Amino acid sequence: MTDEERDLMRRYIYQVVRRLPREQREETAMELEELITDMAAQKGMEAALEELGDPAVFAGKYREEPGWVIGPEYYEDYFWLLKIVLGAVAISAVVSGLVQGLMQKDGTRILAELLSTGLTGGIGAVGAVTILFMILERRKIRIDFQREFRAEGEKSGQRKAWLPMLLPPVPDSKAVIKRSDCAVNLIFETLLAGLMIFAPWLFGIYVFEDGSLVRTIPILNLEAWDRILPVLLISLAAGFADDVTRLICGRYCRTVLTACLIGAAVQAVFAWILLKTLPFFNQEFVLETKWDLLALYGTELLENLILLLIWICILIEAGVTVYKTVRYAERKNGVLL
Protein backbone atom coordinates (compact mmCIF):
# COMPACT_ATOMS: atom_id res chain seq x y z
CA MET A 1 0.00 0.00 0.00
CA THR A 2 1.43 3.35 -1.04
CA ASP A 3 1.54 6.41 1.23
CA GLU A 4 -1.13 8.08 -0.93
CA GLU A 5 -3.46 5.10 -0.56
CA ARG A 6 -2.84 4.92 3.18
CA ASP A 7 -3.65 8.63 3.51
CA LEU A 8 -6.86 8.14 1.52
CA MET A 9 -7.87 5.27 3.80
CA ARG A 10 -7.08 7.33 6.90
CA ARG A 11 -9.23 10.19 5.61
CA TYR A 12 -12.14 7.84 4.92
CA ILE A 13 -11.91 6.24 8.37
CA TYR A 14 -11.77 9.66 10.01
CA GLN A 15 -14.94 10.82 8.24
CA VAL A 16 -16.75 7.66 9.40
CA VAL A 17 -15.68 7.49 13.05
CA ARG A 18 -16.17 11.21 13.72
CA ARG A 19 -19.91 10.62 13.29
CA LEU A 20 -20.03 7.78 15.84
CA PRO A 21 -20.26 7.85 19.64
CA ARG A 22 -16.84 8.24 21.24
CA GLU A 23 -16.87 4.76 22.78
CA GLN A 24 -17.31 3.16 19.33
CA ARG A 25 -14.64 5.06 17.46
CA GLU A 26 -11.47 3.15 18.29
CA GLU A 27 -12.92 -0.30 17.66
CA THR A 28 -14.69 0.84 14.49
CA ALA A 29 -11.49 2.43 13.16
CA MET A 30 -9.58 -0.83 13.59
CA GLU A 31 -12.36 -2.84 11.92
CA LEU A 32 -12.56 -0.42 9.02
CA GLU A 33 -8.80 -0.39 8.52
CA GLU A 34 -8.75 -4.18 8.30
CA LEU A 35 -11.75 -4.23 5.97
CA ILE A 36 -10.42 -1.55 3.64
CA THR A 37 -6.94 -3.10 3.57
CA ASP A 38 -8.37 -6.46 2.47
CA MET A 39 -10.64 -4.87 -0.16
CA ALA A 40 -7.83 -2.64 -1.47
CA ALA A 41 -5.50 -5.62 -1.88
CA GLN A 42 -8.04 -7.18 -4.26
CA LYS A 43 -9.36 -4.22 -6.25
CA GLY A 44 -7.33 -1.11 -5.36
CA MET A 45 -7.91 1.61 -2.77
CA GLU A 46 -10.15 3.93 -4.79
CA ALA A 47 -12.33 1.09 -6.02
CA ALA A 48 -12.64 -0.24 -2.45
CA LEU A 49 -13.70 3.12 -1.05
CA GLU A 50 -16.12 3.70 -3.91
CA GLU A 51 -17.75 0.37 -3.09
CA LEU A 52 -18.10 1.34 0.58
CA GLY A 53 -19.66 4.64 -0.48
CA ASP A 54 -20.16 8.00 1.18
CA PRO A 55 -18.68 7.83 4.72
CA ALA A 56 -21.59 9.86 6.10
CA VAL A 57 -23.98 7.17 4.91
CA PHE A 58 -21.65 4.30 5.75
CA ALA A 59 -21.37 5.53 9.36
CA GLY A 60 -25.10 4.89 9.74
CA LYS A 61 -24.48 1.15 9.46
CA TYR A 62 -22.60 1.22 12.75
CA ARG A 63 -25.39 2.83 14.71
CA GLU A 64 -27.61 0.73 16.91
CA GLU A 65 -30.75 2.68 15.96
CA PRO A 66 -31.50 2.61 12.21
CA GLY A 67 -33.78 5.67 12.00
CA TRP A 68 -32.81 9.36 12.11
CA VAL A 69 -34.79 12.54 12.46
CA ILE A 70 -32.45 14.58 10.29
CA GLY A 71 -30.08 12.21 8.50
CA PRO A 72 -26.91 10.19 9.13
CA GLU A 73 -24.52 13.04 8.43
CA TYR A 74 -26.10 15.37 10.98
CA TYR A 75 -27.77 12.96 13.38
CA GLU A 76 -25.08 12.84 16.06
CA ASP A 77 -24.70 16.63 16.22
CA TYR A 78 -28.47 17.11 16.12
CA PHE A 79 -29.16 14.72 18.98
CA TRP A 80 -26.23 16.01 21.02
CA LEU A 81 -27.33 19.63 20.65
CA LEU A 82 -30.96 18.74 21.34
CA LYS A 83 -30.01 17.23 24.70
CA ILE A 84 -28.07 20.38 25.62
CA VAL A 85 -30.92 22.71 24.65
CA LEU A 86 -33.59 20.68 26.42
CA GLY A 87 -31.40 20.52 29.53
CA ALA A 88 -30.96 24.28 29.54
CA VAL A 89 -34.71 24.80 29.05
CA ALA A 90 -35.40 22.47 31.98
CA ILE A 91 -32.99 24.41 34.18
CA SER A 92 -34.69 27.68 33.23
CA ALA A 93 -38.10 26.26 34.14
CA VAL A 94 -36.87 24.86 37.47
CA VAL A 95 -35.11 28.09 38.49
CA SER A 96 -38.19 30.12 37.59
CA GLY A 97 -40.45 27.74 39.52
CA LEU A 98 -38.28 27.70 42.62
CA VAL A 99 -38.19 31.47 42.87
CA GLN A 100 -41.94 31.68 42.34
CA GLY A 101 -42.34 29.03 45.01
CA LEU A 102 -40.38 31.08 47.50
CA MET A 103 -42.55 34.11 46.80
CA GLN A 104 -46.01 32.54 46.44
CA LYS A 105 -45.73 29.41 48.59
CA ASP A 106 -48.41 27.75 46.48
CA GLY A 107 -47.24 24.24 45.58
CA THR A 108 -50.05 23.45 43.18
CA ARG A 109 -49.61 26.65 41.20
CA ILE A 110 -45.84 26.21 41.14
CA LEU A 111 -46.13 22.68 39.75
CA ALA A 112 -48.56 23.86 37.10
CA GLU A 113 -46.22 26.70 36.12
CA LEU A 114 -43.26 24.31 35.97
CA LEU A 115 -45.09 21.86 33.73
CA SER A 116 -46.45 24.60 31.50
CA THR A 117 -43.12 26.39 31.18
CA GLY A 118 -41.16 23.17 30.67
CA LEU A 119 -43.59 21.79 28.09
CA THR A 120 -43.82 25.03 26.13
CA GLY A 121 -40.07 25.58 26.21
CA GLY A 122 -39.33 21.95 25.33
CA ILE A 123 -41.62 21.93 22.32
CA GLY A 124 -40.17 25.22 21.13
CA ALA A 125 -36.61 23.94 21.61
CA VAL A 126 -37.23 20.72 19.66
CA GLY A 127 -38.87 22.67 16.85
CA ALA A 128 -36.14 25.31 16.67
CA VAL A 129 -33.26 22.83 16.68
CA THR A 130 -34.97 20.56 14.13
CA ILE A 131 -35.69 23.44 11.74
CA LEU A 132 -32.12 24.71 12.14
CA PHE A 133 -30.65 21.33 11.24
CA MET A 134 -33.04 20.90 8.33
CA ILE A 135 -31.73 24.18 6.93
CA LEU A 136 -28.11 23.17 7.56
CA GLU A 137 -28.61 19.79 5.90
CA ARG A 138 -30.15 21.31 2.82
CA ARG A 139 -27.35 23.83 2.63
CA LYS A 140 -24.82 21.01 2.83
CA ILE A 141 -26.60 19.11 0.06
CA ARG A 142 -26.41 22.17 -2.13
CA ILE A 143 -22.69 22.52 -1.45
CA ASP A 144 -22.10 18.82 -2.19
CA PHE A 145 -24.20 19.21 -5.33
CA GLN A 146 -21.82 21.89 -6.57
CA ARG A 147 -18.75 19.84 -5.76
CA GLU A 148 -19.90 16.49 -7.12
CA PHE A 149 -21.53 17.60 -10.34
CA ARG A 150 -19.43 18.26 -13.37
CA ALA A 151 -20.34 19.82 -16.69
CA GLU A 152 -22.17 16.84 -18.11
CA GLY A 153 -23.81 16.02 -14.81
CA GLU A 154 -25.15 19.54 -14.48
CA LYS A 155 -26.69 19.38 -17.93
CA SER A 156 -28.31 16.02 -17.43
CA GLY A 157 -29.35 16.63 -13.83
CA GLN A 158 -27.93 13.23 -12.83
CA ARG A 159 -25.91 13.19 -9.65
CA LYS A 160 -22.62 11.31 -9.91
CA ALA A 161 -21.69 8.60 -7.44
CA TRP A 162 -19.66 9.43 -4.38
CA LEU A 163 -15.90 9.40 -5.07
CA PRO A 164 -13.02 8.85 -2.63
CA MET A 165 -11.26 11.96 -3.87
CA LEU A 166 -14.09 14.02 -2.33
CA LEU A 167 -12.78 13.10 1.13
CA PRO A 168 -11.45 16.20 2.92
CA PRO A 169 -8.04 15.86 4.59
CA VAL A 170 -7.80 15.11 8.30
CA PRO A 171 -7.60 18.59 9.87
CA ASP A 172 -4.62 19.95 11.79
CA SER A 173 -5.15 19.40 15.53
CA LYS A 174 -4.96 23.17 16.07
CA ALA A 175 -7.74 23.69 13.53
CA VAL A 176 -10.15 21.38 15.36
CA ILE A 177 -12.91 23.10 17.33
CA LYS A 178 -13.56 21.37 20.64
CA ARG A 179 -17.08 20.22 21.31
CA SER A 180 -16.73 21.28 24.94
CA ASP A 181 -16.27 24.91 23.84
CA CYS A 182 -19.43 24.75 21.75
CA ALA A 183 -21.30 23.04 24.59
CA VAL A 184 -20.49 25.77 27.13
CA ASN A 185 -21.59 28.53 24.77
CA LEU A 186 -24.77 26.74 23.67
CA ILE A 187 -25.82 25.96 27.24
CA PHE A 188 -25.26 29.57 28.30
CA GLU A 189 -27.14 31.00 25.31
CA THR A 190 -30.08 28.63 25.69
CA LEU A 191 -30.29 29.08 29.45
CA LEU A 192 -30.15 32.87 29.14
CA ALA A 193 -32.78 32.86 26.39
CA GLY A 194 -35.06 30.65 28.48
CA LEU A 195 -34.77 32.89 31.52
CA MET A 196 -35.33 36.01 29.45
CA ILE A 197 -38.48 34.51 27.93
CA PHE A 198 -40.00 32.87 31.00
CA ALA A 199 -38.65 34.84 33.98
CA PRO A 200 -36.81 38.10 33.17
CA TRP A 201 -37.78 39.43 36.61
CA LEU A 202 -35.28 36.97 38.14
CA PHE A 203 -32.50 39.40 37.19
CA GLY A 204 -32.73 41.83 40.08
CA ILE A 205 -32.37 42.35 43.80
CA TYR A 206 -34.28 39.99 46.09
CA VAL A 207 -36.00 41.56 49.10
CA PHE A 208 -36.50 39.38 52.19
CA GLU A 209 -38.57 40.06 55.28
CA ASP A 210 -38.38 37.77 58.30
CA GLY A 211 -36.40 35.27 56.26
CA SER A 212 -39.01 35.09 53.49
CA LEU A 213 -38.68 36.41 49.95
CA VAL A 214 -41.38 39.02 49.41
CA ARG A 215 -40.44 40.61 46.07
CA THR A 216 -37.70 41.34 43.58
CA ILE A 217 -36.51 44.68 42.26
CA PRO A 218 -35.76 44.02 38.57
CA ILE A 219 -32.65 45.41 36.91
CA LEU A 220 -34.25 45.24 33.48
CA ASN A 221 -37.11 47.41 32.24
CA LEU A 222 -39.98 44.93 32.26
CA GLU A 223 -42.52 47.56 31.22
CA ALA A 224 -40.87 47.74 27.78
CA TRP A 225 -40.04 44.04 27.66
CA ASP A 226 -42.24 43.39 24.62
CA ARG A 227 -39.86 45.63 22.64
CA ILE A 228 -36.64 44.52 24.31
CA LEU A 229 -37.10 40.73 24.18
CA PRO A 230 -37.20 40.30 20.35
CA VAL A 231 -34.00 42.31 19.95
CA LEU A 232 -32.29 40.35 22.71
CA LEU A 233 -33.37 36.99 21.28
CA ILE A 234 -32.14 37.88 17.79
CA SER A 235 -28.75 38.73 19.25
CA LEU A 236 -28.63 35.43 21.15
CA ALA A 237 -29.80 33.56 18.04
CA ALA A 238 -26.87 34.98 16.07
CA GLY A 239 -24.44 33.61 18.63
CA PHE A 240 -26.34 30.31 18.77
CA ALA A 241 -26.15 29.89 14.99
CA ASP A 242 -22.43 30.66 15.06
CA ASP A 243 -21.81 27.96 17.69
CA VAL A 244 -23.97 25.42 15.85
CA THR A 245 -21.95 26.07 12.68
CA ARG A 246 -18.75 25.43 14.64
CA LEU A 247 -20.25 22.23 15.99
CA ILE A 248 -21.26 20.99 12.54
CA CYS A 249 -17.98 21.86 10.80
CA GLY A 250 -15.78 20.72 13.67
CA ARG A 251 -12.82 22.76 12.46
CA TYR A 252 -11.90 26.27 11.46
CA CYS A 253 -12.80 26.84 7.83
CA ARG A 254 -14.35 29.41 5.52
CA THR A 255 -17.89 28.48 6.62
CA VAL A 256 -17.05 28.98 10.31
CA LEU A 257 -15.31 32.26 9.53
CA THR A 258 -18.32 33.54 7.56
CA ALA A 259 -20.78 32.54 10.30
CA CYS A 260 -18.58 34.15 12.94
CA LEU A 261 -18.28 37.48 11.11
CA ILE A 262 -22.01 37.64 10.34
CA GLY A 263 -22.89 36.72 13.93
CA ALA A 264 -20.42 39.26 15.31
CA ALA A 265 -21.88 42.03 13.14
CA VAL A 266 -25.45 41.16 14.17
CA GLN A 267 -24.55 41.02 17.87
CA ALA A 268 -22.64 44.32 17.72
CA VAL A 269 -25.52 46.13 16.03
CA PHE A 270 -28.20 44.69 18.29
CA ALA A 271 -26.13 45.43 21.40
CA TRP A 272 -26.10 49.07 20.31
CA ILE A 273 -29.88 48.97 19.73
CA LEU A 274 -30.49 47.48 23.18
CA LEU A 275 -28.32 49.90 25.10
CA LYS A 276 -28.64 53.11 23.07
CA THR A 277 -32.14 53.15 21.60
CA LEU A 278 -34.26 51.08 24.01
CA PRO A 279 -35.00 51.68 27.71
CA PHE A 280 -33.13 48.50 28.64
CA PHE A 281 -32.60 49.26 32.33
CA ASN A 282 -35.19 49.77 35.03
CA GLN A 283 -34.79 53.42 35.98
CA GLU A 284 -36.42 52.81 39.37
CA PHE A 285 -33.77 50.29 40.36
CA VAL A 286 -31.37 52.80 41.94
CA LEU A 287 -34.16 54.70 43.66
CA GLU A 288 -35.43 51.55 45.33
CA THR A 289 -32.07 50.03 46.25
CA LYS A 290 -30.29 53.26 47.23
CA TRP A 291 -26.82 51.77 46.72
CA ASP A 292 -24.04 54.33 46.39
CA LEU A 293 -22.06 51.99 44.14
CA LEU A 294 -24.87 52.15 41.56
CA ALA A 295 -24.60 55.88 41.03
CA LEU A 296 -23.83 55.31 37.35
CA TYR A 297 -26.84 53.03 36.85
CA GLY A 298 -29.14 54.21 34.10
CA THR A 299 -26.66 56.85 32.94
CA GLU A 300 -25.21 57.17 29.46
CA LEU A 301 -21.72 56.56 30.81
CA LEU A 302 -22.60 53.13 32.19
CA GLU A 303 -24.39 52.17 29.00
CA ASN A 304 -21.34 53.23 26.96
CA LEU A 305 -19.01 51.21 29.19
CA ILE A 306 -21.17 48.09 28.91
CA LEU A 307 -21.47 48.52 25.14
CA LEU A 308 -17.71 48.98 24.82
CA LEU A 309 -17.09 45.83 26.86
CA ILE A 310 -19.50 43.85 24.66
CA TRP A 311 -17.84 45.12 21.49
CA ILE A 312 -14.37 44.26 22.83
CA CYS A 313 -15.50 40.69 23.59
CA ILE A 314 -17.04 40.37 20.12
CA LEU A 315 -13.86 41.68 18.46
CA ILE A 316 -11.66 39.30 20.44
CA GLU A 317 -13.79 36.30 19.48
CA ALA A 318 -13.86 37.34 15.81
CA GLY A 319 -10.13 38.06 15.84
CA VAL A 320 -9.30 34.63 17.25
CA THR A 321 -11.50 32.97 14.63
CA VAL A 322 -9.93 34.95 11.79
CA TYR A 323 -6.42 34.13 13.01
CA LYS A 324 -7.03 30.40 13.45
CA THR A 325 -8.86 30.15 10.13
CA VAL A 326 -6.12 31.94 8.20
CA ARG A 327 -3.37 30.11 10.08
CA TYR A 328 -4.69 26.54 10.26
CA ALA A 329 -7.59 26.06 7.83
CA GLU A 330 -7.15 23.76 4.84
CA ARG A 331 -6.54 25.35 1.45
CA LYS A 332 -6.96 24.26 -2.10
CA ASN A 333 -5.06 26.21 -4.75
CA GLY A 334 -4.51 28.91 -2.14
CA VAL A 335 -8.23 29.28 -1.40
CA LEU A 336 -9.69 28.56 2.06
CA LEU A 337 -11.94 25.53 2.20
Side-chain angles (χ1 to χ4, degrees), residues 110-312:
I110 296 167
L111 181 60
E113 288 290 336
L114 275 174
L115 292 175
S116 175
T117 301
L119 183 61
T120 303
I123 293 174
V126 172
V129 173
T130 301
I131 291 173
L132 175 61
F133 271 80
M134 288 173 63
I135 295 173
L136 289 172
E137 186 170 23
R138 279 154 180 73
R139 172 64 178 172
K140 184 67 166 60
I141 289 173
R142 188 173 71 84
I143 292 175
D144 286 346
F145 183 93
Q146 293 174 351
R147 288 180 181 176
E148 296 178 23
F149 274 76
R150 298 298 179 261
E152 294 183 2
E154 289 177 354
K155 293 178 182 179
S156 63
Q158 298 295 321
R159 182 171 179 170
K160 291 188 176 182
W162 176 86
L163 299 174
M165 296 308 297
L166 293 172
L167 285 170
V170 177
D172 186 306
S173 59
K174 294 181 180 179
V176 175
I177 300 174
K178 296 181 180 179
R179 265 193 164 188
S180 57
D181 296 340
C182 297
V184 172
N185 291 337
L186 290 169
I187 290 173
F188 172 78
E189 289 158 354
T190 306
L191 182 58
L192 182 58
L195 292 175
M196 289 297 179
I197 293 172
F198 299 120
W201 44 267
L202 289 178
F203 297 89
I205 300 298
Y206 296 84
V207 179
F208 291 86
E209 292 183 2
D210 299 326
S212 299
L213 180 64
V214 293
R215 67 189 182 105
T216 60
I217 304 174
I219 295 176
L220 308 176
N221 186 356
L222 301 184
E223 294 183 358
W225 200 240
D226 57 336
R227 288 186 290 156
I228 295 173
L229 183 59
V231 178
L232 185 60
L233 291 180
I234 291 174
S235 180
L236 289 173
F240 190 87
D242 178 23
D243 288 312
V244 170
T245 303
R246 292 169 187 263
L247 170 66
I248 296 298
C249 293
R251 61 185 176 87
Y252 288 99
C253 58
R254 184 171 58 185
T255 302
V256 168
L257 177 60
T258 301
C260 175
L261 295 179
I262 293 175
V266 171
Q267 289 179 314
V269 171
F270 278 78
W272 180 85
I273 293 174
L274 280 173
L275 294 171
K276 303 299 292 183
T277 67
L278 294 174
F280 186 67
F281 295 112
N282 175 19
Q283 298 298 321
E284 303 298 323
F285 182 76
V286 175
L287 298 178
E288 294 197 53
T289 55
K290 298 180 180 179
W291 287 5
D292 293 337
L293 293 177
L294 297 176
L296 294 178
Y297 187 88
T299 65
E300 185 176 356
L301 177 59
L302 179 61
E303 293 169 352
N304 291 339
L305 289 174
I306 295 175
L307 183 60
L308 179 61
L309 179 62
I310 293 174
W311 281 355
I312 289 175

